[in-house]
């Protein structure tokens, strides 16, 4: 049982649904045509305090390609409306920060890449409101398709082995109130888009390319070009987010190098329809890796109803790449399935290169890199987009604090200090997964360097699909975290095993508590601000109120133990759900000055 103590804040409601009306926003079909803004220019302009330059941008925006319309001037410009750019806009909207998103393409993705929205990202989406997570869950693969990875020679041929995959099916509600969603990017990007524009705090300008972003000390001038008319315009904002993908022009213009390994492998991503039920229905899987002397790749179900992706490995030769016509892809699919007469309908084809790269810096002045602009990793594990969205989650509340004038000098720098190591680690571990898959292929050809059989090589690939430690176990070690001196947990395997701890720098663990007779996750204690999860000892509540922190009094001894606060301690949780400080003992031993210092440090004042 948890009881809510009065905090003096009126904006936090225990019901986490934020005010996003998805149905009211325009449809995707409208978006890709020259649709007018869903709000009239008059409404957009009313009460606006934007500069003439911003007015000009918005007037242009409202004429063409624009969805949404803000009720206030944009404070942040986001370059790129991929999943990470859209998530960034949603996160900023959560903190009441208005943003404008520029996307050079006429709409959201048509060719799917990412499928896995992992559990931690669903926890992030939970804070965007129940409507978003519900709509994402509606896109999830049907029951049974996410439980295992299957390794075979061909779909119809010898099976090498299987690995169960709680990473894709969910680790259970003892670890999280959410479960992952397996869908496809072309289907879930529109959900993010509609939620963003439905918030009334986001404008998205499609068909508009960012040409440059120039830091002019107290603001950034962003020059854009309408790709259909060639007309140029600009907007001036306090901060810019580069979410412009792997080939980020913003990153390049800032001269930020990428470090790591480029072009690890070359692949063709084919979106197609075919009836693969005879080879998959009795052993549903999230992936079917196939490897033989003549082919190597993977089949990935998108809807459990005949729509698939496959990734075809090739040698990187551009002539070979360009030879992958629909006919050649069909021939490859038939060979890899082992059915020469299979009906295949190729929908789209897109080549991609596997990189293991991380930008040397995630921030230059007022410009921040997120998503593939900041890091690129092999898709083995499904961490690229997820890492990007979770970085957006780390950054948004910090930007909001900076815009509100309450952030100390360390806060914005902590974004790079906290997220770059996570990105580097996820990139390396994703690469390890790709090597374990490669080892199965080698074993299948009788060429494994240690002489493993395919079955033995599959057994060694057990981390791919089992990554609770990698997903929940990252720890931030930055200037805005107050250490409590407790030792780091030591999981048996840092990739597979997660040890829930409320130690400073860790994700505050999920536990079910009851609020007004309803079950509630401890993750829901944070919404727009900091929370203090504490024992019932009265001084904590008073201390929290003093620092504009929402107190939650925990009665359940199991939860108190899980949080390491016994009968008298407290944990300070940041708006992104990470622990900023912990006092295992009563405030009799922790002074008001200690609490004040930790809260100040968490806001970036050292
Ligand atoms: C086969 C495959 C499978 C994958 N599976 C997964 C998975 O299951 N889970 C996962 O987490 N990740 C996965 N990934 C990785 C994931 O697709 C990427 O990490 C993700 O798309 C990155 O999102 P983003 O928004 O940063 O960049 P992008 O999706 O690349 O979006 C960037 C956007 O910026 C726009 N843009 C670029 N320049 C400009 C400009 N100058 N002006 C305006 N707009 C601009 C682009 O048009 C683009 O729309 C997979 C990748 C591949 C190749």
């Amino acid at each position: 049982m948890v009881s809510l103590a009065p905090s003096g804040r009126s904006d936090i409601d225990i019901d986490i649904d934020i005010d996003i009306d998805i149905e009211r926003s325009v449809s995707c079909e409208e978006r890709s045509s020259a649709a007018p803004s869903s709000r009239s220019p008059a409404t957009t302009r009313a009460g606006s305090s934007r500069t003439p330059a911003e007015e000009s941008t918005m007037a242009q925006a409202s004429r063409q390609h624009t969805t949404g319309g803000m009720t206030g001037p944009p404070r942040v410009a986001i370059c790129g409306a991929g999943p990470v750019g859209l998530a960034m806009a949603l996160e900023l909207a959560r903190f009441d920060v208005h943003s404008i998103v520029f996307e050079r393409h006429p709409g959201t993705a048509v060719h799917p890449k990412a499928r896995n929205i992992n559990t931690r990202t669903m926890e992030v989406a939970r804070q965007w409101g129940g409507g978003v997570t519900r709509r994402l869950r509606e896109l999830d693969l049907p029951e049974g398709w996410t439980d295992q990875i299957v390794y075979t020679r061909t779909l119809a041929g010898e099976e090498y082995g299987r690995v169960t995959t709680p990473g894709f099916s969910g680790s259970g509600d003892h670890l999280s109130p959410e479960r992952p969603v397996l869908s496809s990017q072309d289907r879930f990007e529109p959900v993010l888009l509609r939620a963003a524009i439905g918030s009334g705090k986001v404008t998205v300008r499609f068909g508009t390319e960012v040409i440059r972003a120039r830091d002019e000390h107290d603001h950034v001038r962003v020059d854009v070009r309408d790709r259909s008319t060639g007309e140029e315009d600009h907007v001036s904002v306090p901060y810019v987010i580069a979410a412009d993908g792997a080939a980020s022009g913003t990153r390049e213009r800032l001269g930020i190098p990428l470090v790591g390994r480029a072009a690890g492998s070359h692949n063709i991503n084919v979106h197609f329809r075919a009836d693969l039920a005879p080879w998959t229905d009795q052993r549903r899987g999230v992936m079917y890796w196939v490897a033989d002397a003549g082919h190597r790749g993977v089949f990935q179900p998108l809807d459990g109803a005949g729509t698939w992706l496959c990734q075809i490995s090739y040698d990187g030769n551009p002539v070979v790449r360009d030879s992958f016509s629909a006919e050649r892809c069909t021939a490859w699919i038939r060979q890899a399935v082992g059915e020469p007469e299979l009906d295949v309908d190729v929908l789209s084809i897109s080549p991609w290169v596997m990189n293991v790269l991380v930008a040397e810096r995630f921030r230059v002045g007022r410009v921040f890199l997120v998503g593939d602009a900041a890091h690129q990793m092999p898709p083995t594990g499904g961490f690229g987009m997820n890492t990007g969205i979770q970085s957006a989650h780390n950054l948004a509340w910090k930007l909001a604090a900076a815009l509100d004038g309450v952030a100390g000098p360390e806060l914005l720098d902590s974004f790079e200090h906290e997220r770059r190591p996570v990105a580097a680690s996820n990139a390396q571990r994703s690469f390890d997964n790709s090597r374990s898959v490669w080892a199965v292929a080698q074993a299948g050809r009788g060429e494994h360097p240690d002489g493993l059989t395919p079955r033995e090589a599959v057994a060694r690939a057990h981390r791919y699909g089992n990554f609770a430690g990698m997903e929940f176990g990252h720890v931030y070690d930055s200037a805005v975290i107050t250490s409590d001196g407790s030792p780091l947990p030591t999981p048996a395997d840092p990739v597979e095993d997660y040890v829930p701890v409320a130690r400073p720098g860790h994700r505050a663990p999920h536990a079910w508590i009851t609020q007004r007779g309803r079950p509630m996750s401890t993750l829901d204690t944070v919404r727009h601000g900091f929370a203090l999860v504490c024992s019932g000892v009265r001084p904590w509540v008073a201390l929290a109120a003093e620092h504009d922190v929402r107190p939650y009094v925990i009665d359940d001894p199991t939860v108190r133990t899980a949080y390491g606060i016994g009968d008298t301690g407290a944990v300070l949780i940041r708006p992104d759900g990470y622990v900023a400080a912990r006092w295992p003992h009563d405030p009799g031993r922790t002074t008001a000055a200690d609490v004040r210092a930790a809260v100040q440090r968490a806001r970036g004042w050292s």
Side-chain angles (χ1 to χ4, degrees), residues 80 84 103-105 113-116 210 244 371-372 382 384-386:
V84 179
E103 168 55 54
R104 68 177 173 193
H105 285 124
K113 293 188 291 181
R115 292 188 308 148
N116 174 38
V210 171
D244 46 354
D372 278 15
M385 173 193 71
N386 287 301

Side-chain angles (χ1 to χ4, degrees), residues 78-87 101-109 111-118 121 168 181-183 185 188-189 205-212 223-225 227 242-250 253 267-270 287 298 300 309-311 350-354 370-390:
I78 300 170
C79 177
V84 179
L86 292 171
V101 186
F102 297 106
E103 168 55 54
R104 68 177 173 193
H105 285 124
T108 49
H111 181 88
K113 293 188 291 181
R115 292 188 308 148
N116 174 38
I117 306 172
N118 72 21
T121 296
F168 298 120
V181 165
L182 251 292
S183 176
Q185 205 167 328
F188 60 69
E189 276 189 9
R205 283 185 62 185
F206 285 105
T208 307
E209 185 171 27
V210 171
I211 310 165
R212 72 186 76 80
D223 291 300
V224 299
R225 182 189 298 124
R227 292 185 83 196
D244 46 354
S248 168
T250 313
R253 285 187 289 273
N267 306 275
I268 308 289
N269 179 355
V270 187
M287 270 168 272
V298 61
Q300 303 161 300
L309 284 184
C310 73
Q311 312 303 326
S350 172
W352 60 277
V353 177
M354 188 187 86
V370 293
D372 278 15
H375 45 72
Q376 295 145 45
M377 56 193 77
T380 32
F383 272 89
M385 173 193 71
N386 287 301
T387 305
I389 292 178
Q390 290 159 31

